[in-house]
């Protein structure tokens, strides 16, 4: 990273500058309000999981403050499974800027991110397996064993990815979401980056103000404007999708109430648009009862929501382990940051890829409820995979794989 950008706060640095100066090995997290670019790893959180994670993170931040750091920041990713280790660290250098890391499409700093044609493509589960898993989930829902379960797919491409170029393309298209590139490189292995453009905020905390924006209920967009609007209106009126969304929004509100007051949930969800999908979303707000409850502690109290797991959670996790056929890792976990005051932002790790030296694994899931159709759920996951495939310049060549 360019030495002139080192420092903990550069007021005249734009969010676009931070994206331009991203290099392999750095970590970037961008939200609609601001962007953080981190380099180096001053302190790495020892392997922790579950309820102990937030306490350990707070202790690490307090130790950094005692060592003279004015307002240290912890940044990184938390996996889907509560008992799997997170990857959180205090960087050596942090730069901040207002606004999202969006580059104008015409600038030379936003190069095309087209990856070489993959030497191999592995889909787990394959089309038939995924449709059968959805049908099996619907049977269990009708039998009263589940209310909802989220079933995912993975797509592993053997190819080389220019992470900086991919990040620029994602930022260009995701000004209203959460763009990230988290360095996951271990000391004894090749480069590894978790990169994505999530549309979903799990939780943010600023002082005592808490905000969540769960998404559930989705449909792929259409290139035809009239058909696109028909799909959006249909999503707003879909009883199946409204039920799926209510499960998530109600659970988020219920999970906040032990720690917050003035919890407010909209009476009806709103439409949220991304370049590839329409979603139903609800902005849930609350006021924190105890200022010592950090953003990460609150996020862990919510995680995993029915938007990425299902309900009841334990039964949904069991079915996911049985049906998906791959380890989710950091997909459907959390990505974000927290400072020593406990403020922070945590997005759900969606529309993402785990990029290594010679491969990239992409992920997408769909919420299964009563009335779900296996073919439509498969098409929904295909629509979600297109976020990364388009940014990689591989959408057309991979159509058959979807």
């Amino acid at each position: 990273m360019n030495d002139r950008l080192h420092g903990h706060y550069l007021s005249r640095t734009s969010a676009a500058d931070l994206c331009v100066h991203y290099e392999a090995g750095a970590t970037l997290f961008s939200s609609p309000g601001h962007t953080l670019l981190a380099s180096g790893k001053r302190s790495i959180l020892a392997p922790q999981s579950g309820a102990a994670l937030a306490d350990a993170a707070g202790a690490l931040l307090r130790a950094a403050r005692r060592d003279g750091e004015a307002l240290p920041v912890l940044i990184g990713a938390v996996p889907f499974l509560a008992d799997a280790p997170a990857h959180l660290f205090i960087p050596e250098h942090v730069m901040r800027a207002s606004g999202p890391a969006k580059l104008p499409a015409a600038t030379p700093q936003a190069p095309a991110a087209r990856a070489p044609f993959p030497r191999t493509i592995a889909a787990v589960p394959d089309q038939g397996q995924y449709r059968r898993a959805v049908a099996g989930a619907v049977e269990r829902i009708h039998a009263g064993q589940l209310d909802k379960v989220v079933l995912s797919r993975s797509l592993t491409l053997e190819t080389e990815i220019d992470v900086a170029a991919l990040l620029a393309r994602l930022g260009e298209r995701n000004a209203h979401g959460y763009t990230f590139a988290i360095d996951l490189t271990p000391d004894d292995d090749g480069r590894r980056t978790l990169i994505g453009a999530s549309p979903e905020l799990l939780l943010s905390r600023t002082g005592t103000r808490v905000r969540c924006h769960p998404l559930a209920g989705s449909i792929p967009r259409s290139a035809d404007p009239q058909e696109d609007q028909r799909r959006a209106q249909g999503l707003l009126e879909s009883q199946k999708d409204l039920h799926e969304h209510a499960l998530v929004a109600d659970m988020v509100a219920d999970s906040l109430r032990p720690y917050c007051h003035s919890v407010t949930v909209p009476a009806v969800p709103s439409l949220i648009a991304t370049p590839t999908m329409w979603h139903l979303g609800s902005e849930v707000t609350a006021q924190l009862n105890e200022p010592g409850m950090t953003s990460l502690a609150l996020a862990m109290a919510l995680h995993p929501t029915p938007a990425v797991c299902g309900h009841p959670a334990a039964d949904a996790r069991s079915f996911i382990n049985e049906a998906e056929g791959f380890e989710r890792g950091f997909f459907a976990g959390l990505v974000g940051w927290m400072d020593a005051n406990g403020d922070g932002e945590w997005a759900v790790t969606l529309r993402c890829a785990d990029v290594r030296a010679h491969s990239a694994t992409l992920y997408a899931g769909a919420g299964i409820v009563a009335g779900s159709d296996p073919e439509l759920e498969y098409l929904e996951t295909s629509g979600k995979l297109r976020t990364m495939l388009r940014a990689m310049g591989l959408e057309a060549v991979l159509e058959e794989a979807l």
Side-chain angles (χ1 to χ4, degrees):
M1 190 178 300
N2 193 317
D3 287 340
R4 75 180 179 85
L5 290 177
H6 281 175
H8 295 288
Y9 183 77
L10 298 179
S11 59
R12 287 179 290 181
T13 298
S14 70
D17 285 337
L18 297 191
C19 197
V20 168
H21 289 282
Y22 169 87
E23 294 177 357
T27 286
L28 182 140
F29 180 86
S30 176
S31 73
H34 59 272
T35 297
L36 279 72
L37 177 63
S39 63
K41 295 180 180 178
R42 172 179 172 179
S43 303
I44 300 176
L45 190 67
Q48 298 281 347
S49 60
L53 182 65
D55 290 340
L60 193 68
L61 284 164
R62 289 191 295 273
R65 177 172 265 179
R66 287 195 299 270
D67 289 343
E69 188 83 20
L71 189 61
V73 171
L74 184 87
I75 195 167
V78 176
F80 169 70
L81 291 177
D83 57 355
H87 187 88
L88 297 169
F89 61 94
I90 297 176
E92 292 179 353
H93 305 281
V94 178
M95 294 163 286
R96 311 168 191 241
S98 297
K102 180 181 179 181
L103 289 174
T107 63
Q109 293 93 340
R114 184 176 298 278
F117 187 90
R119 294 178 288 278
T120 62
I121 304 167
V124 180
D126 64 24
Q127 293 186 32
Q129 291 168 333
Y130 187 80
R131 292 187 180 101
R132 287 191 292 273
V134 172
V138 172
E139 288 179 3
R140 295 203 187 182
I141 290 167
H142 288 159
Q145 298 171 10
L146 288 168
D147 292 325
K148 174 185 176 179
V149 63
V150 178
L151 292 179
S152 302
R153 301 167 52 207
S154 69
L155 194 66
T156 299
L157 317 177
E158 186 185 357
T159 186
E160 286 71 44
I161 301 295
D162 183 337
V163 173
L166 178 57
L167 179 65
R169 289 286 296 275
L170 291 171
E172 170 194 327
R173 302 170 183 207
N174 196 41
H176 302 293
Y178 301 84
T179 305
F180 54 89
I182 308 296
D183 178 50
L184 299 177
T185 307
D187 293 336
D188 58 350
D189 201 357
R191 182 71 59 200
R192 181 184 177 193
T193 306
L194 177 68
I195 184 168
S198 176
E200 183 170 358
L201 172 69
L202 178 67
L203 181 137
S204 69
R205 197 204 91 164
T206 305
T208 60
R209 184 176 184 271
V210 175
R211 178 175 169 264
C212 305
H213 202 171
L215 306 182
S218 306
I219 192 169
R221 299 195 64 176
S222 171
D224 177 76
Q226 290 186 334
E227 171 63 14
D228 193 47
Q229 287 303 308
R230 187 194 68 78
R231 293 184 185 185
Q233 188 60 37
L235 183 63
L236 275 175
E237 297 171 357
S238 166
Q239 292 305 306
K240 173 254 183 187
D241 289 290
L242 290 169
H243 169 65
E244 178 186 345
H245 185 81
L247 283 173
V248 178
D250 291 346
M251 179 271 182
V252 167
D254 290 344
S255 298
L256 288 176
R257 288 189 175 100
Y259 314 103
C260 300
H261 63 276
S262 303
V263 179
T264 302
V265 184
V268 294
S270 302
L271 279 173
I272 306 297
T274 74
T276 60
M277 301 294 297
W278 286 107
H279 299 283
L280 296 178
S282 290
E283 185 174 36
V284 181
T285 59
Q287 291 293 320
L288 197 59
N289 293 332
E290 171 51 58
M293 188 74 173
T294 68
S295 62
L296 182 56
L298 283 168
M300 294 304 294
L302 298 178
H303 178 64
T305 73
V308 295
C309 181
H311 184 77
D315 295 326
R317 276 194 297 267
S318 177
F319 190 83
I320 288 167
N321 291 338
E322 173 188 328
E324 284 188 345
F326 66 93
E327 294 292 332
R328 288 188 176 186
F330 288 99
F331 166 65
L334 317 179
V335 60
W337 63 274
M338 179 175 74
D339 66 23
N341 291 330
D343 290 341
E345 292 179 299
W346 298 95
V348 184
T349 313
L350 304 173
R351 312 296 187 274
C352 64
D354 187 336
V355 177
R356 309 197 188 208
H358 304 292
S359 69
T361 300
L362 289 62
Y363 306 90
I368 313 305
V369 295
S372 288
D373 177 87
E375 177 63 18
L376 294 179
E377 302 301 338
Y378 181 79
L379 292 174
E380 179 178 324
T381 60
S382 297
K384 291 173 178 177
L385 285 169
R386 285 190 176 93
T387 295
M388 292 299 296
L389 293 174
R390 282 181 180 175
M392 292 175 175
L394 293 176
E395 182 185 21
V397 297
L398 292 180
E399 277 300 312
E400 293 185 8
L402 295 181

